[in-house]
Amino acid sequence: MDAQRIAAAETALVGSALLSPDVACRHRNAIGSGAFEDPFLGRVWEAVAAMAVMGQPLDPVTVADRLASSPWSRARAEVTEQIAAMVASVPSSANADYYAAIVVNAAGKRALAMSAARIAAAAKNGCGFADALALAERELAGAREGAAALAGPRRLGDVLAEVVDEVERSCKAQARVGVATGLADLDAILTPMRPGQMVVVAGRTGMGKTSFALTVALEIAERGEPVLYFALESDANEMARMAVSNLSGVSDRSLAEPARMSEGEWSLFARACGTLHELPLWFAEDGALTPAALMGRIRAQRPRPALVVVDQVAVMSEPDYRTRYEQVSAISRRIKLAAKSCGVPIMALHQINRETEHRKDHRPTLADLRDSGGLEQDADAVVLLYRDDYYEPEVRPGVIQAIVAKQRRGPRGVVELFFRRVCGRFETLRGAPGCPEPL
């Protein structure tokens, strides 16, 4: 973009704000003083925006008076004259939004160029590849966050057109918008996971969070919809073994001792492997995954995933925060941002604290997430997993409660599922062979 055109747009935007204070009020959140290449124009814009919000009169004299009250190297008369020239440069404020778009675009490109320079410097100055890559991911994530912040509000009518199109497409396909878990009883309460949403699945250790997520991932992949699964505590080989056991019904112990497998188990194993080989399911293993890397990998994945699973949040890293609470809060915000920015639903697994162990009723509640950073706040839905037989093995073995404790676009409730632990598979309780009757 021509430097002269950018300078003219910056001057015209400030001049428009002086003519019409609502211009500054409308754009002050998206455009700060740092968005201007000319520092003087940035200072004037900052003063005009502050005065406009407070309803103070705006003209070259009043703005120059405000600037004179802060450290400034130029004479008041010179400042007044320059501000008057800005007002004279535009006949009206009618094109202010056009000028603002030029300023925002130019500022974003300058910030991106600075990020690129820092990445190049890190790569050239003896920085290790992993460190340089982490810096690049952070810089690009920061640039995307900045772009999202500068996007500004959208008119209802423009967004409504997207909603109508989405509903019409869903009607033609005779399907609900979003991806369902495939567990019919749970899907009766939990609305399909939609692009931009973060669904948190939480529970104590041993409740079956990974098995639940893998069951859902396989259900979706078997419908031909791509799934990207970040296995942060396991490698791809272990996840593949779990997938074989899940789909075949052959226990993981049997797979570990294949010499003892029966002919029937071998047949189930072979059939499951044939099915799994064709599924659009990808496992990513990275024990030091950052939110920036998560966003980068989702964007790079082709085809675009219908669902992304992060197993689990507590293992992710975000080094710029001192306390674990602040770190998890930042990770949670950025997972949600990744879902919105990449246009995918993200299922985030999380281990809740030990407080449930000290209560008479061990069932987790939404309050148990409140020391887990901003997860409770950022989540569009929260599913808490609980089973009695973890504490008392003889009490309804295999029955697990999926507690829909939060859902922004649907009801809350409790659904009983059957957890076939021998193969790590979740099933609907009604009709599952060998499971207890529902209460």
Side-chain angles (χ1 to χ4, degrees):
M1 188 180 292
D2 182 74
Q4 196 171 12
R5 181 168 176 255
I6 294 169
E10 290 183 352
T11 301
L13 178 60
V14 177
S16 296
L18 283 158
L19 287 173
S20 180
D22 73 297
V23 169
C25 294
R26 196 163 66 245
H27 293 289
R28 63 186 293 269
N29 290 330
I31 301 176
S33 59
F36 292 81
E37 193 163 16
D38 184 337
F40 173 65
L41 286 171
R43 292 288 296 276
V44 175
W45 170 262
E46 188 175 42
V48 169
M51 293 173 71
V53 168
M54 292 186 289
Q56 296 177 349
L58 288 173
D59 60 44
V61 175
T62 59
V63 176
D65 283 345
R66 183 180 179 91
L67 289 171
S69 66
S70 59
W72 193 250
S73 58
R74 301 188 188 187
R76 185 189 302 238
E78 181 186 355
V79 172
T80 303
E81 185 179 336
Q82 288 179 313
I83 295 174
M86 294 176 201
V87 177
S89 70
V90 285
S92 77
S93 62
N95 297 323
D97 291 349
Y98 176 76
Y99 307 140
I102 294 175
V103 172
V104 166
N105 186 53
K109 291 172 71 174
R110 283 198 304 275
L112 196 59
M114 291 171 64
S115 293
R118 287 191 289 269
I119 294 168
K124 291 177 181 177
N125 295 337
C127 182
F129 173 74
D131 291 337
L133 184 60
L135 172 66
E137 288 167 342
R138 286 198 302 273
E139 291 283 354
L140 290 175
R144 289 191 185 102
E145 287 185 30
L150 292 175
R154 298 177 64 194
R155 181 176 170 272
L156 173 60
D158 297 333
V159 183
L160 191 60
E162 297 176 7
V163 174
V164 171
D165 181 61
E166 190 177 75
V167 171
E168 287 179 345
R169 281 189 286 108
S170 178
C171 181
K172 289 177 182 177
Q174 295 187 339
R176 294 190 290 180
V177 177
V179 287
T181 67
L183 298 165
D185 290 347
L186 180 58
D187 289 334
I189 291 181
L190 188 67
T191 57
M193 295 172 283
R194 299 163 59 90
Q197 289 187 336
M198 178 172 75
V199 176
V200 173
V201 176
R204 286 291 299 136
T205 302
M207 289 295 163
K209 297 183 293 295
T210 295
S211 295
F212 175 84
L214 184 58
T215 297
V216 172
L218 288 169
E219 289 279 356
I220 293 171
E222 284 186 273
R223 299 198 297 261
E225 300 179 273
V227 179
L228 177 59
Y229 194 118
F230 288 89
L232 307 186
E233 294 186 302
S234 309
D235 60 27
N237 182 281
E238 183 180 354
M239 294 303 298
R241 291 176 69 90
M242 289 178 64
V244 171
S245 181
N246 184 298
L247 197 61
S248 67
V250 178
S251 71
D252 189 60
R253 183 172 181 177
S254 294
L255 293 177
E257 301 176 353
R260 298 185 178 185
M261 284 171 58
S262 67
E263 186 176 333
E265 287 177 322
W266 275 109
S267 177
L268 292 169
F269 171 75
R271 192 181 309 149
C273 288
T275 300
L276 290 169
H277 188 268
E278 304 301 322
L279 294 187
L281 173 58
W282 286 263
F283 291 112
E285 35 183 313
D286 185 350
L289 184 71
T290 64
L294 171 71
M295 187 181 294
R297 291 199 182 188
I298 295 172
R299 286 184 176 276
Q301 183 69 25
R302 293 292 182 273
R304 176 186 290 184
L307 175 69
V308 174
V309 178
V310 177
D311 182 5
Q312 61 175 321
V313 173
V315 183
M316 294 182 71
S317 62
E318 185 68 302
D320 297 334
Y321 296 87
R322 285 185 290 182
T323 70
R324 185 58 183 160
Y325 181 90
E326 292 174 343
Q327 191 176 52
V328 174
S329 293
I331 290 170
S332 174
R333 282 195 305 273
R334 288 176 179 171
I335 290 176
K336 175 63 177 174
L337 176 65
K340 292 177 68 176
S341 176
C342 299
V344 297
I346 297 180
M347 178 184 287
L349 276 54
H350 186 64
Q351 182 173 309
I352 60 177
N353 60 42
R354 296 177 181 272
E355 291 302 312
T356 59
E357 306 294 318
H358 308 305
R359 299 198 298 254
K360 186 175 180 180
D361 185 352
H362 300 301
R363 285 174 181 78
T365 67
L366 208 53
D368 294 315
L369 273 182
R370 285 174 191 157
D371 69 342
S372 302
L375 277 171
E376 178 199 1
Q377 175 184 325
D378 296 328
D380 294 280
V382 175
V383 179
L384 304 172
L385 300 180
Y386 170 78
R387 53 192 177 90
D388 284 316
D389 68 355
Y390 181 81
Y391 300 98
E392 299 180 59
E394 302 304 318
V395 178
R396 307 190 75 212
V399 177
I400 189 162
Q401 292 184 345
I403 305 165
V404 182
K406 175 185 177 180
Q407 188 170 201
R408 285 186 177 146
R409 302 184 61 169
R412 294 178 296 167
V414 180
V415 176
E416 288 191 330
L417 302 171
F418 187 62
F419 180 30
R420 203 171 292 282
R421 291 185 62 196
V422 67
C423 62
R425 183 168 182 81
F426 277 69
E427 302 171 2
T428 54
L429 187 57
R430 296 179 187 278
C435 74
E437 286 299 312
L439 290 179

